[in-house]
């Protein structure tokens, strides 16, 4: 995402032409959209780190304190349930209250006594409920959210030769996969109508053109950045790092990063950018549109992962600018709840005040 050179990939009017063509205008608009989405991803990365720190430092201790107080409340109310001064109606109201509080706690705290209290007042069996829920979950399709899955290998310590061999092997594997897919499509075409075969052929040709366009840019970079051709050790390290960026960009079909690397290495001039043919621009613009779609999905992936990891409801607004303010608001609300809960604990130690509260709950329809 970073532009080490600080040079934007843009087609500029005035270098041999006064007005940009429609394809050139589209190219510039698409590169701006990609830069905007990259900036949003960077903002999300910064916000996610700050959010996690504040969540751990501020909210988690409040959540633990709240849970401890709620456990104390459940035990206190359960002990009060046996008080002989309670009427039948008061016991029913109190039992409903205990079941409600214990039900919220039983999955978030490791307290066998709370589970037993929930089973008794909820007239249920928590373990059986869990088994039934797991059976439902097992029947549903698996959905994987959260942080990006690891590739399973760390290639940071590779030598230049190992790096190039691995990239070549991966490229060959992708070519093999594309060939297998092509053969499968050919087999499918035999069963397809002439119209379907023609449409598929056009789609295959368009995809081949897109792949060729981005492959040409990559191969020029790979040829210039080959570490084994550089005798200077420091320059070899620099080229190895740039080659890693190029490999990652090629793997992700990130045309804009490959063009940025060309500018950084001065392997393409502004005049050459302005001189890209309209046919090639059509291919480039299609690749850039695909990049935008992939970046949009990556942004959605980050947001979904944040919601899942921290229990943020789907109805809550979520953006890099608002996520920390939302956390601060939640912490303030939790502090208020803790104060109220601590006050209620002191109040309910008096059976008379507890009875008054139960009567008020009953009047309110609890």
């Amino acid at each position: 995402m970073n532009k080490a050179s600080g040079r934007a990939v843009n087609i500029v009017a005035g270098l041999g032409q006064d007005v940009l063509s429609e394809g050139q205008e589209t190219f510039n608009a698409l590169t701006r959209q990609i830069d905007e989405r990259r900036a949003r991803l960077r903002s999300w990365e910064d916000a996610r780190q700050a959010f996690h720190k504040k969540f751990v430092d501020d909210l988690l201790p409040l959540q633990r304190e709240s849970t401890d107080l709620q456990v104390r409340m459940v035990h206190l109310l359960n002990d009060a349930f046996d008080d002989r001064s309670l009427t039948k109606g008061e016991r029913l109201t109190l039992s409903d209250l205990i079941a409600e509080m214990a039900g919220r706690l039983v999955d978030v705290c490791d307290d066998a006594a709370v589970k037993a209290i929930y089973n008794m007042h909820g007239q249920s069996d928590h373990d059986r409920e869990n088994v039934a829920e797991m059976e439902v979950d097992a029947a549903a399709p698996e959905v994987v959210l959260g942080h990006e899955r690891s590739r399973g290998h760390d290639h940071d310590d590779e030598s230049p030769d190992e790096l190039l061999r691995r990239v070549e092997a991966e490229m060959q594997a992708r070519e093999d996969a594309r060939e297998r897919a092509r053969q499968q499509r050919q087999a499918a075409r035999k069963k397809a109508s002439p119209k379907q075969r023609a449409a598929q052929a056009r789609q295959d040709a368009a995809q081949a053109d897109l792949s060729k366009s981005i492959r040409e840019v990559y191969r020029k970079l790979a040829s210039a950045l080959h570490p084994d051709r550089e005798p200077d050790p420091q320059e070899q390290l620099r080229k190895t790092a740039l080659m890693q960026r190029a490999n990652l960009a090629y793997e992700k079909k990130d045309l804009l990063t490959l063009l940025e690397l060309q500018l950084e290495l001065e392997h393409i001039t502004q005049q050459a950018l302005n001189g890209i043919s309209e046919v090639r621009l059509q291919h480039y613009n299609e690749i850039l549109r695909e990049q935008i779609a992939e970046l949009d999905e990556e942004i959605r992936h980050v947001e979904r992962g944040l919601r899942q990891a921290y229990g943020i409801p789907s109805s809550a607004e979520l953006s890099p600018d608002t996520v920390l303010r939302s956390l601060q608001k939640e912490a303030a609300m939790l502090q208020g709840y803790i104060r109220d809960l601590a006050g209620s604990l002191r109040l309910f130690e008096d059976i008379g005040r507890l009875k008054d509260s139960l009567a008020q709950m009953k009047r309110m329809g609890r």
Side-chain angles (χ1 to χ4, degrees), residues 53-68 334 338:
K53 186 177 188 308
K54 195 163 188 65
F55 182 88
V56 171
D57 293 345
D58 296 349
L59 196 65
L60 272 184
L62 291 173
Q63 288 180 342
R64 294 191 189 102
E65 184 179 358
S66 170
T67 299
D68 291 342
L334 194 50
I338 288 170

Side-chain angles (χ1 to χ4, degrees), residues 200-215:
Q200 184 63 56
R202 287 194 297 272
Q203 182 178 343
D204 290 348
Q207 191 59 48
D209 285 340
L210 297 181
S211 298
K212 181 180 178 182
S213 294
I214 198 167
R215 190 162 55 244

